[in-house]
Amino acid sequence: MAHVFLMSCRLLVLFLVLTANNAGLCRSQGDGAADGSRGRALVPAMFVFGDSLIDNGNNNDLPSLAKANYFPYGIDFNGGPTGRFSNGYTMVDTIAELLGLPLIPSHSQASGDQMRYGVNYASAAAGILDDTGRNFVSRIPFNQQIKNFESNLDQITGRLGALDVAQELSRCIFFIGMGSNDYLNNYLMPNYDTKNHYNGQQYADLLVKQYSQQLTRLYNLGARRFVIAGLGLMGCIPSILAQGRINGGCSDDVNNLIVPFNTNTKAMINDLSTNLPGVRFSYIDIHSMFQDLLANSRSYGFLVVNRGCCGIGRNRGQITCLPFETPCPNRNRYIFWDAFHPTEAVNILLGKKAFNGDTDVVYPINIEQLASL
C-alpha cells in the first residue's frame, strides 16, 4: 500500500530536519560533498538507483565480494575510500553538484540531516534481474532498491500521515543506471545458463520488460522526472579486452550484444511517456558518449584508452584493483580506472554532458532542462 502514500521531498526535509541531531545545521555532512545550498538547488532532491558505476558505499557492510571501500579506490576523493568504484567522483556526484545539491549519501550510511537532499540506493553487482551478480554473494538488486525507497516513504508516512503531496515528490530527480551487470555478471558468465535460453534480442526483451515494470513501480510511488542511463561500449572495457586476442581491439560481439537493450530502452521510454500521465524522461546515451570519447580521446586529454589505471594482468583487466595496489600516477590521462569502471575524469565529463548536453547525447531533453520543468 506504500504507493498510496506519496510523500513530498519537502516533507521529507521537514521530518528529517525535525528529528535529526543538530537539525538546525544546513550543511552537508561528510562524504566530501561540496556546499549544496538549498537556495540554489534546481530540484529538492535526487534519488539514485543502479550498480557499481554509481554505488557510493551500499555494499560496504554486506558480505559481498563487490566492494571498493579500500585504498587506492578514492585516492582522489576528499575523505578517501567511501565505496565508490572510482579514484574519485562518479557520474551522479557530478550531476548532483550541477543541480546545486550536496553529494547524495548512500542508503546504508545516510541518517538525519544527510538524507534531506536524496538517497543513493545503488549497489555493486546489482542488476535488473534478481539473480544477476550472485557470484559476488550479497548485493542489492533493483527490486530491493525500490523496496528500500518504498520503506523510506512508509517510515515518513507513519510519522506524518498519508498526505497527498505527490506534486512535491514529482519535482525530484530519479536517476537510474541499470543493466550492465545483467550482461557482465549474468549473460556473459560461464556459470550462468542464461545464454542457453535466450539469444541477444530475447534477453534484451526480457530485461526491458522487467525494467518497464520497475520504473512503473517508482512512478506509482510518486516519481515523475526520470533520468535513464543507457549502456556504454562494454566490449571496450579492460576486463573484456583482457579476454580477447593479444593486441586486439574492442569486442564487437559484446558491443553488438547490448545494442538491442539500448534500442528497447529507448522504445520503453517512449511507451511510458505515452501511458504514464505527467512522466518526463532524460535518456543518457552512454553508448554515443563513449564512441566519441574513444574516437577523440586525445582531444579530451586522454592518452590511455585500453587498460586500467589500477589492476593486474593483460590490459590491467584480468584482476581488478586490489587493496593497496599502486595505481598509475597520471590518472587524468586514463579512460578506465580499473577493469570495469571509468576514471573520475571520465565520470565528470559524462556527468557534464548529461546535464547540459545536446540531443545527440541526451534526449529528448537534458537534465538541466528536466530540472527546470
Side-chain angles (χ1 to χ4, degrees):
M1 296 298 292
H3 62 279
V4 177
F5 307 128
L6 301 175
M7 302 310 301
S8 74
C9 294
R10 183 172 296 168
L11 287 177
L12 173 62
V13 171
L14 176 61
F15 169 71
L16 292 170
V17 168
L18 289 175
T19 58
N21 291 331
N22 300 321
L25 299 178
C26 293
R27 64 178 186 274
S28 169
Q29 300 289 323
D31 218 23
D35 176 29
S37 170
R38 191 68 168 181
R40 64 182 177 87
L42 300 181
V43 295
M46 180 166 67
F47 298 95
V48 179
F49 305 81
D51 53 32
S52 59
L53 291 169
I54 50 180
D55 184 359
N56 64 344
N58 283 308
N59 281 21
N60 289 357
D61 297 324
L62 296 180
S64 174
L65 300 177
K67 295 187 180 186
N69 57 341
Y70 56 83
F71 185 86
Y73 286 100
I75 188 173
D76 299 309
F77 190 85
N78 182 15
T82 60
R84 288 168 168 83
F85 287 75
S86 170
N87 57 305
Y89 268 26
T90 67
M91 182 168 64
V92 292
D93 291 330
T94 299
I95 292 170
E97 289 198 338
L98 290 170
L99 287 169
L101 300 169
L103 303 192
I104 308 302
S106 65
H107 175 252
S108 64
Q109 300 167 2
S111 62
D113 184 53
Q114 290 180 309
M115 294 179 66
R116 71 189 194 273
Y117 297 116
V119 180
N120 185 330
Y121 300 92
S123 171
I128 293 170
L129 303 179
D130 289 345
D131 191 47
T132 288
R134 66 167 183 257
N135 288 349
F136 293 93
V137 192
S138 291
R139 71 281 180 208
I140 309 170
F142 190 23
N143 282 325
Q144 184 60 49
Q145 292 179 33
I146 297 172
K147 289 179 182 178
N148 290 342
F149 171 69
E150 189 173 9
S151 294
N152 287 157
L153 296 185
D154 281 346
Q155 292 168 11
I156 301 165
T157 298
R159 298 272 185 156
L160 298 175
L163 304 176
D164 185 10
V165 287
Q167 183 177 359
E168 286 300 319
L169 185 57
S170 71
R171 296 174 54 224
C172 300
I173 294 290
F174 285 74
F175 186 104
I176 298 97
M178 298 297 305
S180 295
N181 285 311
D182 293 292
Y183 289 93
L184 293 173
N185 291 301
N186 188 324
Y187 196 85
L188 292 171
M189 292 297 290
N191 63 326
Y192 278 79
D193 66 350
T194 313
K195 64 178 68 65
N196 297 325
H197 298 281
Y198 305 96
N199 63 32
Q201 183 62 59
Q202 291 169 338
Y203 190 57
D205 293 344
L206 172 72
L207 289 177
V208 176
K209 180 180 179 181
Q210 180 154 328
Y211 204 9
S212 178
Q213 294 169 353
Q214 291 163 332
L215 296 182
T216 302
R217 284 176 58 196
L218 284 173
Y219 174 88
N220 289 335
L221 291 167
R224 293 296 182 271
R225 300 184 190 185
F226 290 91
V227 176
I228 308 296
L231 301 187
L233 292 172
M234 294 194 301
C236 301
I237 66 175
S239 175
I240 297 297
L241 294 178
Q243 301 172 33
R245 296 185 301 272
I246 295 177
N247 299 323
C250 300
S251 169
D252 291 335
D253 289 342
V254 174
N255 283 337
N256 291 335
L257 178 64
I258 64 169
V259 169
F261 177 86
N262 283 336
T263 300
N264 283 10
T265 299
K266 296 172 192 175
M268 173 193 70
I269 288 173
N270 291 335
D271 181 63
L272 293 177
S273 296
T274 300
N275 294 306
L276 299 180
V279 74
R280 298 299 296 268
F281 286 93
S282 289
Y283 174 77
I284 307 175
D285 194 339
I286 303 294
H287 188 274
S288 292
M289 287 185 181
F290 252 93
Q291 275 187 325
D292 174 55
L293 184 60
L294 292 174
N296 303 289
S297 56
R298 288 187 175 271
S299 67
Y300 287 107
F302 298 108
L303 303 180
V304 184
V305 303
N306 62 352
R307 66 181 185 271
C309 172
C310 187
I312 296 175
R314 286 179 54 193
N315 302 90
R316 288 198 174 186
Q318 290 178 294
I319 300 176
T320 198
C321 194
L322 296 175
F324 299 104
E325 182 182 341
T326 301
C328 64
N330 52 339
R331 294 177 284 278
N332 287 339
R333 298 300 186 183
Y334 277 66
I335 285 181
F336 295 103
W337 160 248
D338 62 12
F340 302 97
H341 308 98
T343 56
E344 176 186 62
V346 171
N347 285 329
I348 291 174
L349 177 64
L350 298 183
K352 288 180 177 178
K353 285 192 172 188
F355 183 74
N356 57 18
D358 295 329
T359 54
D360 58 334
V361 292
V362 54
Y363 50 83
I365 55 177
N366 60 39
I367 295 175
E368 184 177 30
Q369 292 165 335
L370 181 69
S372 67
L373 294 176

